[in-house]
């Protein structure tokens, strides 16, 4: 009787543990979309909009100056030389600005790059409006080619008063393999 009782208890325990594992697996899948929704609602992720803003009827706030710093970096394995021609600008909220970035492909083959922006502090990302940006599209560069890539932007005048400085960082990724795989599957 004792052995039958232990088998019953072990079976119940195993079922409970399997249920916990399935629950944890489901929670892991749900975590990414939940995190994205949370970050979109709170603006703490530093992600910028991935579509061009429209610049019309924006009133310039000449009473404020906001410092915007630009940082570039390459993801591991990306051989391009990538830099901002301007490291830091002071802007009046609502005023249109252009900053140029340069990229040079020293590799002996074509590489397709994709720049991904992030803003720190993250709440400032909600107020950075890019009307033109190389980050909206993939950038193919042939062997030895160099290109100047503009980014036109304005800071929304509704930027909270306590944000006087923010950083825009672009990380450049080599997406050549991904693009070629997609092209082959079409």
């Amino acid at each position: 009787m004792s052995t039958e009782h232990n088998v019953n208890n072990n079976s119940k325990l195993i079922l409970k543990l399997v249920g916990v594992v399935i629950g944890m697996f489901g929670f892991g899948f749900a975590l990414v979309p939940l995190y994205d929704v949370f970050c979109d609602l709170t603006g703490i992720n530093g992600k910028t909009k991935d579509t061009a803003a429209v610049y019309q009827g924006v009133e310039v706030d000449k009473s404020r100056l906001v410092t915007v710093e630009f940082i570039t970096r390459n993801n591991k394995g990306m051989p391009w030389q990538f830099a901002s021609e301007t490291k830091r600008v002071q802007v009046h909220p609502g005023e249109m600005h252009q900053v140029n970035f340069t990229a040079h492909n020293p590799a002996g083959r074509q590489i397709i790059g994709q720049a991904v922006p992030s803003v720190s502090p993250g709440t400032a990302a909600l107020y950075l409006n890019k009307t033109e940006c190389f980050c909206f599209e993939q950038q193919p560069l042939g062997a030895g080619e160099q290109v100047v890539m503009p980014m036109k932007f304005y800071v929304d005048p509704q930027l909270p008063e306590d944000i006087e400085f923010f950083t825009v960082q672009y990380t450049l990724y080599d997406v050549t393999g991904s693009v070629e795989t997609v092209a082959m599957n079409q």
Side-chain angles (χ1 to χ4, degrees), residues 11-173:
S11 296
K12 287 179 185 178
L13 178 61
I14 289 172
L15 284 175
K16 287 179 184 178
L17 290 174
V18 167
V20 167
V21 168
I22 290 171
M24 290 172 59
F25 188 73
F27 180 73
F29 266 105
L31 198 55
V32 172
L34 288 173
Y35 177 76
D36 286 342
V37 168
F38 174 76
C39 290
D40 287 344
L41 291 174
T42 61
I44 61 170
N45 62 356
K47 289 182 183 177
T48 63
K49 299 173 190 112
D50 58 0
T51 57
V54 176
Y55 184 74
Q56 63 183 19
V58 178
E59 191 171 321
V60 177
D61 182 355
K62 295 275 188 185
S63 68
R64 288 179 67 189
L65 271 177
V66 177
T67 303
V68 183
E69 180 179 58
F70 299 95
I71 298 173
T72 58
R73 64 181 285 273
N74 290 0
N75 190 49
K76 185 178 179 180
M78 176 50 132
W80 287 8
Q81 295 162 354
F82 175 51
S84 170
E85 290 181 355
T86 306
K87 301 298 180 202
R88 183 180 284 194
V89 295
Q90 287 196 310
V91 301
H92 293 289
E95 189 173 53
M96 182 65 74
H97 281 275
Q98 178 173 321
V99 175
N100 290 326
F101 292 76
T102 59
H104 174 250
N105 178 6
R109 62 183 172 85
Q110 176 175 300
I111 296 177
I112 301 170
Q114 177 72 55
V116 177
S118 65
V119 177
S120 180
T123 52
L126 299 171
Y127 303 93
L128 175 65
N129 296 291
K130 296 174 290 189
T131 61
E132 181 181 327
C133 186
F134 57 93
C135 63
F136 294 150
E137 297 178 2
Q138 296 169 342
Q139 305 294 322
L141 271 185
E145 285 186 339
Q146 184 166 331
V147 68
V148 175
M149 304 177 295
M151 190 269 270
K152 293 181 181 178
F153 73 99
Y154 67 95
V155 176
D156 190 308
Q158 300 299 315
L159 178 76
E161 294 284 335
D162 63 327
I163 300 178
E164 298 174 356
F165 175 91
F166 64 88
T167 301
V168 179
Q169 176 178 296
Y170 283 98
T171 303
L172 190 63
Y173 293 87

